[in-house]
Structure formats: C-alpha cells, structure tokens
Amino acid sequence: MRFGGDYNPEQWPAHVWREDARLMREAHVNLVTVGVFSWARYEPSPGARDFAWLDEVLDVLGEHGVGVDLATPTASPPPWLGVLHPDTLPVDPDGVRLVAGSRNQFSPASRVYREHALAITDALVARYAAHPAVRMWHVGNEFGQVCYGDESAAAFRAWLERRYGTVEALNAAWGTTVWSQHYADWSEIVPPRRTVYHVNPSQALDWRRYCSDQLLALYREQRDLIRTYDAERPVTTNFMGFFPGIDPWTWAEDVDVVADDAYPDPGDPRAPADAALTQDLMRSLGDGAPWLLMESATSAVSWRPHNLPKSPERSRLESLQAVARGADGVCFFQWRASRSGAERFHSAMLPHAGPETRVHRGVRRLGADLARLAPVVGGRVAADVAVVVDWPSWWASGEVARPTDRLDALEQLRAWYRVLWARGVACDLVPAGRDVSGYRAVLVPQLYLLDEAAADALRTATHAGTTLVVGPFTGVADENAHVRTGRFPALLRDVLGVSGEEWVPLPDDGVGLDVAADLSAGPAPRAGVLGELLEAEGAAVLATFADGHLAGGPAVTRHAYGAGDAWYVATVPDEDLLGDVLGAALDRAGVALVLPGAGDAPGVELVRRGDVRFVLNHTAGPVTVPVDGHHLDLLTGRPVDDAVHLAAHDVAALVDHPTERTP
C-alpha cells in the first residue's frame, strides 16, 4: 500500500532533507512525488541545467526506503520562458494574453513551449531513468489549461479538419444555417471567444473536445519520451475527479495507473457520498484496477474562501474510504508545509509546528493502518449496478439557451448516486455506449446527448433482463448537440414505453406529485426544476403531476421490455421520493447488499473490496452496526461478532473469521 505525498525539497535547505527522510520512514511513508514545480530550479536560465541538488535528494530518499514518483516539471514554466517567448503564454476568451508569475502559464498549442517542455523532460529522464529510488513517472500536473490565442485557433482548425474532412461537413455538424454562420473556408473559424451574444453550442462542444484532445497529445508527447528511456516503470498524471476540462474516458488507456486529486469540503454534509462517487469513477476508469489517491489534504486547504479544518480522525476516514473503493495508495499535498507562496496556509503531513502535533500524529497512525491493510492490495470492488456518465453530454447539457439552467447534469448524477451510497450499493461508472448487459441495474441520471450506439447498448441490456432507470432531459440531442426531432426520447421510446412533446421548467416552489401505491413516498411528495409533458405508450404510471402545466401527466413510469424493466423519471423528485423510486427499481433488480444484516444506519458507509468489508462511520458520534457472523477487524486485530462498534469518524475493515464466538 503506497503512502506519502508531494515533496518540494527545493523550498528547503539541504540539511532539512535528511530530517524529512527520517520522519517519512517513521511515518511509514514509502512514496513521494518530487519535481512537479521544479523547472525554474532545474533550468534557472535558458539551457543552464542544475540537477546536482536533485541527485542528493533522490539518494537521501532512497537510503531511507522512500520511493519517488518523479514528475516532469512542465506544469509551471520558469518566468524567462514567457518573457523571451510571449507566444507561449495563454490567451483568455477576451483575447487578453496572461502573464507569468503564477502556475500553468502556458498554451497547450504553443510549439515553442512544447519544444522546451520536451527538452527539460529529456534531460531529466535521461539522468534518472536508472536511479533506484524512482518508482514511477508523473507527467505534468492537473491537466486543464486552455488557450484561445491564434496558435490555438490554428490547432483547433487542424483538429476540425481531421474530424470533418471538409468545411461543408463542418457546416452541417454545426448547423451554421442558423444566424448566418456559414463558413466558406477553414481560416474563418476561431475558438469560441467572447462575442456579442450566444456562441454556437455545436462549436462550443467541439472546442471542449479539442481542448481535451490537445492536452492529451501534450501528455502523450512526454509519456512517449519517457518510454524511450524507461519501458518498465508506470507513467501517469493526476486527474481531478469530475473536472470539466478533460474527458477522462478518452485518457484512461494512456495512463498506467489512474490517479486522482481529491479535496472534499469538510463543511459539506454530502461530501462523503460525493467523494465516494469520485472514487468509483477512478476505479472505473481503470476497468476496476486499483488506483492511486495522488493528492488530498490532511486538514484545511487554502483556496476556498473559508477553509474549515479536518480532524485527524476525519482525514483518516477519508483516506480509508478511498482504499475501500479501490485505491492502493494514499498521498497528500504536501509532506512539509510551505513557509511562502500561495499555498503557505495549505495543510501538510508535517505542519509548520513540527512533528509533535495532532496532524502529524494522525499521519503516523494512518501510515500504520495502511501497513495493516496489505491484504487489501490488488483487491477489486464487485458491482451489480452501472451508472452512465458521459463528458460530452455533460458539456453540451450545460450550454446556454436551454429550457432551464437549473438542471445540472453533475448534480443529477450526485443526487442519484447518494441513494446508492446510502443503501450500501456498489456501482461502476461507464461511458455512454459501453456494453452494460452484465449488470443487474443501469442508471442514467441524465444523458442529454444520445447516439444510436449508446441507445442500442441500453436497449440490448434491458431486453436481456437488466433494470434500466432513466432520468429527465435524456436523449434530447445527437452527438453534434442538434435536437432530435419527433417525440422524445427519440431513440428510447420503445424501451421506456413513453413519449414526450415538451420540456417544462417548473415554478420555484415546485409542484406536487400523486404517487401510486406501488411506491412508498413521504408526505406531500414534490418535484422541481423540470418536468416533461409525456404520454404513456404501454408504461405503467407510478406518479403523476398533481398541479400546474403538467397536471395529470406521468412523472414516473415503469415499462416491461423483453426480460427487463425500464423506468423513466421525467422530473427532479424530492430526495425522499427519488430514494423510493430508485430503491424500488434496485429491489426489483435483485441488487444485493454489501453486508447482509447491517440494517439502516444513516451516515454509515458499507463497501466490499475483495474479501474485506469496510464499515465507515461518517457521523460525529458513535454507532453500532449489526453484522451477521464472525469477523476479524484488520485495523484493530480484534474479532467482531454480530455487531461492530465504531467511534465518530472511525472505520472497521472486516474479514470473515470462522472461529468460535468471542466470549
């Protein structure tokens, strides 16, 4: 089990490095990321290279048994690059060229930047490819940079020409007959810079695709260069959960280990479930293989307006939650707290106050815990449920000039996922079009873009016996963000047994719903944000709109299709009703519980990874969770019979222990 964090030795004098290495070893640290922001130290002026200090750092870490995730420093070029080559600096949508002095100050399309990035990467990797302390390679940092300048415009046009072949095909894909936007030549096309009114939504969608692909090409250049020196060690970069800047499904095959930076908000009561969703995404990007929590915070961050701290117990809980959901390593930003710079108040494994602190004692405890969880390493999380998540659909559904800007695809996803989390139901996330026929249930909270291949995958699985549950505003548009004509959802009408004619934003206070006896619902169930004017075409109606524009119309339906069921939730129901609807669908699908006998324990998370069942208490008080049979808690070494008792923010990792009952 990997444990550690970002390490920035260039911020400290050499005598501190040995103290750091000693403290790392005592805390069970075995992996640190080095060099993410070291370009200016490596190359203080053009062509002048200084690696002697890094030689000593890697030697010291290696002597103490600490492995190194060695980063290419290309996320933050030195100021001289932007001064000498202003064209390497990014341009914002208003046409303003940004200046050096922060980080990420580069244009992904800049030829000069990429030449310099490859040159420093080549020098770094050639020097350290054989160093025994190096365990893996880390390309850049948190890819997400965007540039709207002229060099980016030329790269965008080249990307479009590869995608469409002819300007005529692009005009058709972008629907440029609207607003007299027809293009006669590739040279007329520019990025979606600030303009007088709305940008063409098809153009904006392709720009998002291009930006993700351009950054991926940048990653691949450096990855491929590393491979010329080192064909063995894994190469990766760090994702940022549900970050809209890149489509991680298109990146997943290019990283040897999926890695994520995660900073749940301690002030958000929904953070535990939302963090679990991100962790399931990371595991799913690797087709279930173990992943790495590359960055997290031991306590407070420094970039929110008001930065609440975490207790060591909560920090430990969040780290072990990641392990429960497939991580084979937990790392933090950063090892030693910075004295200067923009992150001087960001928490660290070793605070300003030193090792005799509550935070560092918590770090040591976590390191010991992870060592005890060695039997978990390599284990997988089995799931009966799939949730469809598609980045281009998310991008397109958020463009301007739609029925309502209150329907947020990511919030829809999170609301549906929270129901699974509360029930202890494991799920995989899958991209649109993936074969889902092996799952008992498939949830589609919102899939605004729907092409024929994705629709066929859902149809095939449902016909074979899968339970399908689909949310509102799904199947609205094709892959170019053009609205599909006819009654909606055009490609799934036969599966869902309904058809619609109008999307209807709902009043601020929502509308009431009348719920059939098939569903249990709380008092006065309501729906908000959006509804749809539907007709049932063979589907059973389980809830109707009680008043307003949609009064009497279907709100929730269920339709038998082949050997499966297809449910349609044509609105945003309140939390209780959504839980009832999804719960009923999961029950009909025969989705099993992680820990039979655990009962209802709000705020307690249940996850099974391999042979280990994790019980995580996210509440601020003690809980007792009933469990059937005899177990051993790997974290305490103690037997557990019939019930596990957890303090606030505590965790148990249970394995079957078929021995006599403990007296």
Side-chain angles (χ1 to χ4, degrees), residues 494-572:
D494 59 325
V495 180
L496 296 172
V498 297
S499 72
E501 59 185 83
E502 187 178 7
W503 298 285
V504 180
L506 299 179
D508 289 348
D509 60 348
V511 298
L513 295 175
D514 293 324
V515 178
D518 301 58
L519 294 175
S520 60
R526 298 186 69 77
V529 181
L530 183 80
E532 296 178 351
L533 182 58
L534 295 179
E535 291 181 4
E537 297 178 343
V541 178
L542 304 181
T544 59
F545 294 99
D547 51 72
H549 189 85
L550 298 173
V556 180
T557 62
R558 184 180 67 238
H559 182 235
Y561 184 78
D565 284 339
W567 300 58
Y568 192 48
V569 185
T571 187
V572 181

Side-chain angles (χ1 to χ4, degrees), residues 1-5 24 27-32 66-67 292 319 328-332 335 349 362-368 370-371:
M1 189 71 71
R2 297 297 179 184
F3 179 52
M24 287 177 189
H28 300 273
V29 167
N30 55 25
L31 183 72
V32 292
V66 179
L292 176 64
S319 298
D328 268 1
V330 172
C331 297
F332 293 99
W335 165 254
M349 301 172 76
V363 166
R364 292 187 181 209
R365 180 190 180 192
L366 176 60
L370 293 174

Side-chain angles (χ1 to χ4, degrees), residues 603-627:
V604 175
E605 179 178 3
L606 305 174
V607 188
R608 178 168 185 164
R609 181 180 178 189
D611 294 329
V612 183
R613 294 174 174 89
F614 285 85
V615 185
L616 304 102
N617 178 16
H618 292 277
T619 74
V623 297
T624 297
V625 181
V627 295

Side-chain angles (χ1 to χ4, degrees), residues 102-281:
S102 181
R103 68 184 220 185
N104 302 328
Q105 67 274 12
F106 65 86
S107 166
S110 168
R111 176 187 57 81
V112 173
Y113 161 75
R114 291 168 81 147
E115 288 174 352
H116 281 79
L118 286 173
I120 192 65
T121 297
D122 186 83
L124 179 78
V125 179
R127 188 178 186 96
Y128 298 110
H131 198 288
V134 175
R135 297 286 188 272
M136 62 188 298
W137 299 97
H138 185 300
V139 174
N141 182 66
E142 296 181 338
F143 281 92
Q145 300 78 12
V146 179
C147 176
Y148 293 79
D150 290 341
E151 199 165 1
S152 296
F156 183 40
R157 288 190 288 269
W159 183 92
L160 291 169
E161 192 165 3
R162 290 192 299 272
R163 182 175 177 86
Y164 295 111
T166 65
V167 175
E168 290 75 17
L170 176 137
N171 280 310
W174 283 12
T176 56
T177 53
V178 176
W179 288 0
S180 187
Q181 291 181 348
H182 179 85
Y183 296 101
D185 188 80
W186 293 108
S187 62
E188 299 171 4
I189 301 169
V190 295
R193 298 164 176 159
R194 188 175 300 280
T195 185
V196 295
Y197 196 40
H198 298 323
V199 168
N200 182 330
S202 300
Q203 177 191 13
L205 175 58
D206 270 348
W207 172 252
R208 296 265 208 168
R209 289 169 169 146
Y210 153 77
C211 287
S212 180
D213 286 354
Q214 180 73 300
L215 289 168
L216 178 56
L218 182 59
Y219 166 83
R220 284 172 172 166
E221 281 182 352
Q222 296 177 45
R223 187 272 316 271
D224 292 347
L225 177 57
I226 291 169
R227 281 283 169 252
T228 64
Y229 292 99
D230 184 351
E232 301 299 326
R233 297 182 183 91
V235 183
T236 191
T237 190
N238 41 344
F239 296 143
M240 294 181 284
F242 285 90
F243 171 65
I246 64 167
D247 178 358
W249 293 118
T250 64
W251 284 59
E253 292 185 357
D254 283 280
V255 295
D256 296 322
V257 179
V258 173
D260 186 50
D261 296 352
Y263 295 94
D265 185 351
D268 183 357
R270 294 179 168 175
D274 294 349
L277 171 62
T278 299
Q279 292 156 5
D280 285 352
L281 170 65

Side-chain angles (χ1 to χ4, degrees), residues 3-41:
F3 179 52
D6 280 43
Y7 184 40
N8 296 293
E10 66 271 28
Q11 298 179 13
W12 302 96
H15 73 269
V16 175
W17 303 341
R18 287 196 172 273
E19 178 189 1
D20 283 336
R22 176 182 61 81
L23 291 171
M24 287 177 189
R25 184 171 59 187
E26 292 174 0
H28 300 273
V29 167
N30 55 25
L31 183 72
V32 292
T33 299
V34 174
V36 172
F37 298 119
S38 299
W39 192 343
R41 182 69 186 270

Side-chain angles (χ1 to χ4, degrees), residues 178-487:
V178 176
W179 288 0
S180 187
Q181 291 181 348
H182 179 85
Y183 296 101
D185 188 80
W186 293 108
S187 62
E188 299 171 4
I189 301 169
V190 295
R193 298 164 176 159
R194 188 175 300 280
T195 185
V196 295
Y197 196 40
H198 298 323
V199 168
N200 182 330
S202 300
Q203 177 191 13
L205 175 58
D206 270 348
W207 172 252
R208 296 265 208 168
R209 289 169 169 146
Y210 153 77
C211 287
S212 180
D213 286 354
Q214 180 73 300
L215 289 168
L216 178 56
L218 182 59
Y219 166 83
R220 284 172 172 166
E221 281 182 352
Q222 296 177 45
R223 187 272 316 271
D224 292 347
L225 177 57
I226 291 169
R227 281 283 169 252
T228 64
Y229 292 99
D230 184 351
E232 301 299 326
R233 297 182 183 91
V235 183
T236 191
T237 190
N238 41 344
F239 296 143
M240 294 181 284
F242 285 90
F243 171 65
I246 64 167
D247 178 358
W249 293 118
T250 64
W251 284 59
E253 292 185 357
D254 283 280
V255 295
D256 296 322
V257 179
V258 173
D260 186 50
D261 296 352
Y263 295 94
D265 185 351
D268 183 357
R270 294 179 168 175
D274 294 349
L277 171 62
T278 299
Q279 292 156 5
D280 285 352
L281 170 65
M282 294 304 132
R283 187 187 70 249
S284 300
L285 288 171
D287 286 330
W291 56 281
L292 176 64
L293 179 58
M294 184 71 82
E295 287 186 26
S296 52
T298 57
S299 185
V301 298
S302 58
W303 40 264
R304 293 188 177 104
H306 188 62
N307 298 293
L308 296 179
K310 290 183 290 192
S311 68
E313 292 76 20
R314 179 157 182 176
S315 178
R316 171 180 179 265
L317 171 66
E318 291 179 357
S319 298
L320 295 180
Q321 181 190 36
V323 173
R325 293 186 176 271
D328 268 1
V330 172
C331 297
F332 293 99
F333 180 85
Q334 56 181 325
W335 165 254
R336 182 181 283 269
S338 298
R339 295 182 61 233
S340 59
E343 293 172 316
R344 66 201 182 281
F345 290 114
H346 196 292
S347 63
M349 301 172 76
L350 184 62
H352 295 124
E356 297 306 318
T357 51
R358 186 171 70 153
V359 165
H360 191 67
R361 286 191 291 271
V363 166
R364 292 187 181 209
R365 180 190 180 192
L366 176 60
D369 283 333
L370 293 174
R372 296 185 186 101
L373 291 178
V376 176
V377 172
R380 295 197 171 214
V381 177
D384 287 334
V385 178
V387 180
V388 178
V389 180
D390 184 72
W391 254 252
S393 183
W394 178 22
W395 293 332
S397 70
E399 283 301 321
V400 297
R402 58 193 192 276
T404 175
D405 62 5
R406 300 179 186 179
L407 185 67
D408 183 279
L410 180 56
E411 182 50 40
Q412 274 285 99
L413 169 64
R414 286 172 169 163
W416 284 44
Y417 180 86
R418 288 170 194 142
V419 176
L420 303 179
W421 183 84
R423 291 172 64 95
V425 172
C427 73
D428 293 333
L429 275 59
V430 298
R434 176 76 60 85
D435 179 10
V436 289
S437 56
Y439 294 96
R440 290 182 178 271
V442 175
L443 308 187
V444 186
Q446 184 184 328
L447 194 58
Y448 174 75
L449 302 184
L450 184 68
D451 62 20
E452 285 76 6
D456 286 345
L458 298 176
R459 178 179 292 105
T460 299
T462 307
H463 194 272
T466 294
T467 294
L468 174 68
V469 190
V470 177
F473 217 48
T474 289
V476 173
D478 64 16
E479 61 273 19
N480 296 316
H482 296 188
V483 175
R484 293 189 179 276
T485 57
R487 299 181 70 85

